[in-house]
Short mmCIF file of all heavy atoms in Angstrom, two decimals:
data_model
loop_
_atom_site.label_atom_id
_atom_site.label_comp_id
_atom_site.label_asym_id
_atom_site.label_seq_id
_atom_site.Cartn_x
_atom_site.Cartn_y
_atom_site.Cartn_z
N SER A 1184 94.15 201.63 75.87
CA SER A 1184 92.83 202.04 75.38
C SER A 1184 92.74 203.54 75.10
O SER A 1184 91.76 203.99 74.50
CB SER A 1184 91.73 201.61 76.34
OG SER A 1184 91.92 202.18 77.61
N LEU A 1185 93.73 204.32 75.50
CA LEU A 1185 93.73 205.76 75.19
C LEU A 1185 94.41 206.10 73.87
O LEU A 1185 94.31 207.24 73.41
CB LEU A 1185 94.43 206.55 76.31
CG LEU A 1185 93.68 206.74 77.61
CD1 LEU A 1185 94.55 207.50 78.61
CD2 LEU A 1185 92.38 207.48 77.37
N LEU A 1186 95.10 205.16 73.26
CA LEU A 1186 95.87 205.47 72.05
C LEU A 1186 95.04 206.12 70.95
O LEU A 1186 95.49 207.05 70.29
CB LEU A 1186 96.57 204.22 71.52
CG LEU A 1186 97.72 203.69 72.37
CD1 LEU A 1186 98.29 202.42 71.74
CD2 LEU A 1186 98.80 204.73 72.55
N SER A 1187 93.82 205.66 70.75
CA SER A 1187 92.99 206.19 69.67
C SER A 1187 92.71 207.68 69.84
O SER A 1187 92.48 208.39 68.86
CB SER A 1187 91.68 205.42 69.54
OG SER A 1187 90.91 205.57 70.72
N LYS A 1188 92.74 208.18 71.05
CA LYS A 1188 92.49 209.61 71.31
C LYS A 1188 93.72 210.47 71.02
O LYS A 1188 93.63 211.69 71.02
CB LYS A 1188 92.05 209.82 72.75
CG LYS A 1188 90.72 209.17 73.07
CD LYS A 1188 90.35 209.41 74.52
CE LYS A 1188 89.08 208.70 74.89
NZ LYS A 1188 87.88 209.36 74.44
N PHE A 1189 94.88 209.83 70.83
CA PHE A 1189 96.13 210.56 70.64
C PHE A 1189 96.80 210.26 69.31
O PHE A 1189 98.01 210.46 69.17
CB PHE A 1189 97.08 210.24 71.80
CG PHE A 1189 96.65 210.84 73.10
CD1 PHE A 1189 95.79 210.16 73.95
CD2 PHE A 1189 97.07 212.10 73.48
CE1 PHE A 1189 95.37 210.70 75.16
CE2 PHE A 1189 96.66 212.66 74.69
CZ PHE A 1189 95.81 211.97 75.52
N THR A 1190 96.08 209.80 68.32
CA THR A 1190 96.66 209.48 67.01
C THR A 1190 97.40 210.69 66.46
O THR A 1190 96.87 211.79 66.42
CB THR A 1190 95.57 209.01 66.03
OG1 THR A 1190 94.92 207.86 66.57
CG2 THR A 1190 96.16 208.67 64.67
N GLY A 1191 98.67 210.46 66.09
CA GLY A 1191 99.50 211.52 65.54
C GLY A 1191 100.27 212.32 66.58
O GLY A 1191 101.10 213.16 66.23
N TRP A 1192 100.04 212.06 67.85
CA TRP A 1192 100.68 212.80 68.93
C TRP A 1192 101.80 211.99 69.57
O TRP A 1192 101.78 210.77 69.56
CB TRP A 1192 99.65 213.16 70.00
CG TRP A 1192 98.63 214.12 69.50
CD1 TRP A 1192 97.48 213.81 68.82
CD2 TRP A 1192 98.67 215.53 69.58
NE1 TRP A 1192 96.80 214.95 68.50
CE2 TRP A 1192 97.51 216.03 68.96
CE3 TRP A 1192 99.56 216.44 70.14
CZ2 TRP A 1192 97.23 217.38 68.87
CZ3 TRP A 1192 99.28 217.79 70.05
CH2 TRP A 1192 98.13 218.25 69.42
N SER A 1193 102.75 212.68 70.17
CA SER A 1193 103.81 212.02 70.93
C SER A 1193 103.29 211.71 72.33
O SER A 1193 102.68 212.57 72.97
CB SER A 1193 105.04 212.92 71.04
OG SER A 1193 105.60 213.11 69.77
N VAL A 1194 103.55 210.49 72.79
CA VAL A 1194 103.06 210.04 74.10
C VAL A 1194 104.14 209.24 74.81
O VAL A 1194 105.13 208.81 74.20
CB VAL A 1194 101.80 209.17 73.96
CG1 VAL A 1194 100.65 209.94 73.35
CG2 VAL A 1194 102.09 207.90 73.16
N LEU A 1195 103.93 209.01 76.08
CA LEU A 1195 104.73 208.08 76.87
C LEU A 1195 103.86 206.88 77.20
O LEU A 1195 102.72 207.04 77.63
CB LEU A 1195 105.20 208.73 78.16
CG LEU A 1195 106.27 209.80 78.03
CD1 LEU A 1195 106.45 210.52 79.36
CD2 LEU A 1195 107.58 209.20 77.57
N LEU A 1196 104.41 205.70 77.00
CA LEU A 1196 103.68 204.46 77.26
C LEU A 1196 104.61 203.50 77.98
O LEU A 1196 105.72 203.23 77.49
CB LEU A 1196 103.21 203.84 75.94
CG LEU A 1196 102.59 202.45 76.02
CD1 LEU A 1196 101.15 202.55 76.55
CD2 LEU A 1196 102.60 201.76 74.68
N VAL A 1197 104.20 202.98 79.12
CA VAL A 1197 104.95 201.95 79.83
C VAL A 1197 104.27 200.62 79.55
O VAL A 1197 103.04 200.52 79.61
CB VAL A 1197 105.00 202.22 81.34
CG1 VAL A 1197 105.70 201.06 82.07
CG2 VAL A 1197 105.72 203.53 81.63
N GLY A 1198 105.06 199.62 79.22
CA GLY A 1198 104.47 198.31 78.93
C GLY A 1198 105.39 197.16 79.27
O GLY A 1198 106.61 197.32 79.40
N GLN A 1199 104.78 196.01 79.41
CA GLN A 1199 105.50 194.76 79.63
C GLN A 1199 105.82 194.17 78.26
O GLN A 1199 104.92 194.01 77.42
CB GLN A 1199 104.64 193.79 80.44
CG GLN A 1199 105.31 192.47 80.72
CD GLN A 1199 104.40 191.52 81.47
OE1 GLN A 1199 103.18 191.64 81.44
NE2 GLN A 1199 105.00 190.57 82.15
N VAL A 1200 107.08 193.85 78.04
CA VAL A 1200 107.51 193.29 76.76
C VAL A 1200 107.07 191.84 76.70
O VAL A 1200 107.47 191.02 77.53
CB VAL A 1200 109.04 193.40 76.58
CG1 VAL A 1200 109.46 192.81 75.25
CG2 VAL A 1200 109.50 194.84 76.71
N LEU A 1201 106.23 191.52 75.70
CA LEU A 1201 105.78 190.15 75.52
C LEU A 1201 106.64 189.40 74.52
O LEU A 1201 106.98 188.25 74.72
CB LEU A 1201 104.31 190.14 75.06
CG LEU A 1201 103.32 190.80 76.01
CD1 LEU A 1201 101.92 190.80 75.41
CD2 LEU A 1201 103.33 190.10 77.36
N LYS A 1202 106.99 190.09 73.40
CA LYS A 1202 107.90 189.49 72.43
C LYS A 1202 108.42 190.57 71.50
O LYS A 1202 107.80 191.62 71.32
CB LYS A 1202 107.24 188.36 71.64
CG LYS A 1202 106.17 188.79 70.66
CD LYS A 1202 105.63 187.59 69.90
CE LYS A 1202 104.54 188.03 68.95
NZ LYS A 1202 104.04 186.96 68.14
N VAL A 1203 109.58 190.28 70.93
CA VAL A 1203 110.19 191.16 69.94
C VAL A 1203 110.54 190.31 68.73
O VAL A 1203 111.21 189.28 68.86
CB VAL A 1203 111.47 191.84 70.49
CG1 VAL A 1203 112.14 192.68 69.41
CG2 VAL A 1203 111.16 192.68 71.71
N VAL A 1204 110.05 190.71 67.58
CA VAL A 1204 110.34 190.01 66.33
C VAL A 1204 110.79 191.05 65.32
O VAL A 1204 110.02 191.95 64.97
CB VAL A 1204 109.11 189.24 65.80
CG1 VAL A 1204 109.42 188.58 64.46
CG2 VAL A 1204 108.61 188.23 66.81
N GLY A 1205 112.05 190.93 64.89
CA GLY A 1205 112.57 191.93 63.96
C GLY A 1205 112.54 193.30 64.62
O GLY A 1205 113.00 193.48 65.73
N GLY A 1206 111.94 194.26 63.96
CA GLY A 1206 111.85 195.61 64.47
C GLY A 1206 110.51 195.94 65.09
O GLY A 1206 110.12 197.10 65.19
N THR A 1207 109.78 194.91 65.51
CA THR A 1207 108.46 195.11 66.10
C THR A 1207 108.38 194.44 67.46
O THR A 1207 108.82 193.30 67.62
CB THR A 1207 107.37 194.51 65.17
OG1 THR A 1207 107.48 195.11 63.89
CG2 THR A 1207 105.99 194.77 65.72
N ALA A 1208 107.83 195.16 68.43
CA ALA A 1208 107.66 194.60 69.77
C ALA A 1208 106.18 194.55 70.12
O ALA A 1208 105.42 195.46 69.78
CB ALA A 1208 108.41 195.44 70.79
N ALA A 1209 105.80 193.50 70.81
CA ALA A 1209 104.44 193.39 71.35
C ALA A 1209 104.53 193.69 72.84
O ALA A 1209 105.31 193.06 73.56
CB ALA A 1209 103.88 191.99 71.12
N LEU A 1210 103.76 194.68 73.29
CA LEU A 1210 103.74 195.07 74.70
C LEU A 1210 102.35 194.87 75.27
O LEU A 1210 101.36 194.92 74.55
CB LEU A 1210 104.08 196.56 74.88
CG LEU A 1210 105.39 197.10 74.35
CD1 LEU A 1210 105.54 198.55 74.75
CD2 LEU A 1210 106.56 196.29 74.86
N ARG A 1211 102.29 194.67 76.59
CA ARG A 1211 101.03 194.70 77.31
C ARG A 1211 101.04 195.99 78.12
O ARG A 1211 101.90 196.19 78.98
CB ARG A 1211 100.89 193.50 78.24
CG ARG A 1211 99.57 193.57 79.05
CD ARG A 1211 99.37 192.37 79.95
NE ARG A 1211 99.25 191.18 79.13
CZ ARG A 1211 99.94 190.06 79.35
NH1 ARG A 1211 100.79 189.97 80.34
NH2 ARG A 1211 99.78 189.01 78.57
N ALA A 1212 100.11 196.88 77.82
CA ALA A 1212 100.00 198.14 78.54
C ALA A 1212 99.41 197.90 79.93
O ALA A 1212 98.91 196.81 80.22
CB ALA A 1212 99.14 199.13 77.75
N SER A 1213 99.44 198.91 80.77
CA SER A 1213 98.98 198.76 82.15
C SER A 1213 97.51 198.40 82.28
O SER A 1213 97.08 197.85 83.28
CB SER A 1213 99.27 200.02 82.95
OG SER A 1213 98.62 201.12 82.38
N ASP A 1214 96.71 198.69 81.24
CA ASP A 1214 95.29 198.33 81.27
C ASP A 1214 95.04 196.96 80.62
O ASP A 1214 93.90 196.58 80.41
CB ASP A 1214 94.43 199.40 80.60
CG ASP A 1214 94.76 199.63 79.15
OD1 ASP A 1214 95.78 199.08 78.64
OD2 ASP A 1214 94.02 200.38 78.49
N GLY A 1215 96.11 196.23 80.30
CA GLY A 1215 95.99 194.90 79.72
C GLY A 1215 95.87 194.87 78.21
O GLY A 1215 95.87 193.80 77.61
N GLN A 1216 95.77 196.04 77.57
CA GLN A 1216 95.63 196.11 76.12
C GLN A 1216 96.95 195.76 75.44
O GLN A 1216 98.03 196.10 75.93
CB GLN A 1216 95.21 197.52 75.69
CG GLN A 1216 93.87 197.96 76.21
CD GLN A 1216 92.74 197.19 75.55
OE1 GLN A 1216 92.69 197.04 74.33
NE2 GLN A 1216 91.84 196.69 76.37
N SER A 1217 96.87 195.10 74.29
CA SER A 1217 98.06 194.80 73.50
C SER A 1217 98.40 196.01 72.64
O SER A 1217 97.52 196.61 72.03
CB SER A 1217 97.80 193.59 72.59
OG SER A 1217 97.58 192.45 73.37
N VAL A 1218 99.69 196.34 72.62
CA VAL A 1218 100.18 197.47 71.83
C VAL A 1218 101.37 197.00 71.02
O VAL A 1218 102.26 196.31 71.54
CB VAL A 1218 100.60 198.65 72.74
CG1 VAL A 1218 101.17 199.79 71.92
CG2 VAL A 1218 99.42 199.13 73.59
N THR A 1219 101.39 197.36 69.74
CA THR A 1219 102.52 197.06 68.87
C THR A 1219 103.41 198.29 68.82
O THR A 1219 102.93 199.40 68.61
CB THR A 1219 102.04 196.71 67.45
OG1 THR A 1219 101.21 195.54 67.53
CG2 THR A 1219 103.20 196.43 66.52
N VAL A 1220 104.71 198.08 68.99
CA VAL A 1220 105.67 199.18 68.89
C VAL A 1220 106.56 198.93 67.69
O VAL A 1220 107.21 197.87 67.59
CB VAL A 1220 106.53 199.30 70.17
CG1 VAL A 1220 107.58 200.39 70.00
CG2 VAL A 1220 105.66 199.58 71.37
N ASN A 1221 106.58 199.87 66.75
CA ASN A 1221 107.53 199.84 65.64
C ASN A 1221 108.81 200.46 66.17
O ASN A 1221 108.89 201.66 66.42
CB ASN A 1221 106.99 200.63 64.45
CG ASN A 1221 105.73 200.03 63.90
OD1 ASN A 1221 105.53 198.83 63.92
ND2 ASN A 1221 104.84 200.87 63.41
N MET A 1222 109.82 199.62 66.38
CA MET A 1222 111.05 200.03 67.04
C MET A 1222 111.97 200.81 66.09
O MET A 1222 111.93 200.59 64.87
CB MET A 1222 111.77 198.80 67.59
CG MET A 1222 110.95 198.02 68.59
SD MET A 1222 111.55 196.35 68.91
CE MET A 1222 113.16 196.68 69.60
N GLN A 1223 112.80 201.67 66.66
CA GLN A 1223 113.83 202.36 65.90
C GLN A 1223 114.90 201.35 65.50
O GLN A 1223 115.16 200.40 66.24
CB GLN A 1223 114.49 203.47 66.76
CG GLN A 1223 113.62 204.66 67.00
CD GLN A 1223 113.45 205.49 65.74
OE1 GLN A 1223 114.34 205.60 64.90
NE2 GLN A 1223 112.26 206.04 65.58
N PRO A 1224 115.55 201.53 64.35
CA PRO A 1224 116.65 200.63 63.98
C PRO A 1224 117.72 200.62 65.08
O PRO A 1224 118.08 201.67 65.61
CB PRO A 1224 117.20 201.26 62.69
CG PRO A 1224 116.04 202.03 62.13
CD PRO A 1224 115.28 202.54 63.33
N GLY A 1225 118.16 199.44 65.45
CA GLY A 1225 119.18 199.28 66.48
C GLY A 1225 118.64 199.25 67.90
O GLY A 1225 119.39 199.01 68.84
N SER A 1226 117.36 199.48 68.08
CA SER A 1226 116.76 199.46 69.40
C SER A 1226 116.58 198.02 69.86
O SER A 1226 116.30 197.13 69.06
CB SER A 1226 115.40 200.17 69.35
OG SER A 1226 114.89 200.36 70.64
N SER A 1227 116.77 197.79 71.16
CA SER A 1227 116.52 196.46 71.72
C SER A 1227 115.99 196.62 73.13
O SER A 1227 116.31 197.59 73.81
CB SER A 1227 117.80 195.61 71.72
OG SER A 1227 118.75 196.17 72.60
N TYR A 1228 115.18 195.68 73.55
CA TYR A 1228 114.60 195.70 74.88
C TYR A 1228 115.10 194.47 75.62
O TYR A 1228 114.81 193.35 75.22
CB TYR A 1228 113.07 195.68 74.83
CG TYR A 1228 112.43 196.75 73.98
CD1 TYR A 1228 111.18 196.56 73.44
CD2 TYR A 1228 113.07 197.95 73.70
CE1 TYR A 1228 110.56 197.53 72.66
CE2 TYR A 1228 112.47 198.93 72.91
CZ TYR A 1228 111.21 198.71 72.41
OH TYR A 1228 110.61 199.67 71.63
N THR A 1229 115.85 194.67 76.69
CA THR A 1229 116.41 193.54 77.43
C THR A 1229 115.83 193.40 78.83
O THR A 1229 116.21 192.51 79.56
CB THR A 1229 117.95 193.67 77.53
OG1 THR A 1229 118.26 194.88 78.21
CG2 THR A 1229 118.59 193.66 76.15
N THR A 1230 114.89 194.30 79.20
CA THR A 1230 114.23 194.19 80.49
C THR A 1230 112.76 193.82 80.26
O THR A 1230 112.26 193.92 79.13
CB THR A 1230 114.31 195.51 81.28
OG1 THR A 1230 113.73 196.55 80.51
CG2 THR A 1230 115.74 195.85 81.64
#
Side-chain angles (χ1 to χ4, degrees):
S1184 60
L1185 285 178
L1186 290 178
S1187 63
K1188 295 180 184 281
F1189 289 89
T1190 301
W1192 294 86
S1193 294
V1194 297
L1195 289 170
L1196 172 77
V1197 175
Q1199 180 182 23
V1200 180
L1201 301 176
K1202 70 178 179 177
V1203 177
V1204 177
T1207 303
L1210 303 185
R1211 178 178 296 131
S1213 59
D1214 61 352
Q1216 297 290 312
S1217 296
V1218 177
T1219 299
V1220 176
N1221 297 327
M1222 301 164 63
Q1223 288 289 326
S1226 189
S1227 66
Y1228 306 155
T1229 59
T1230 57

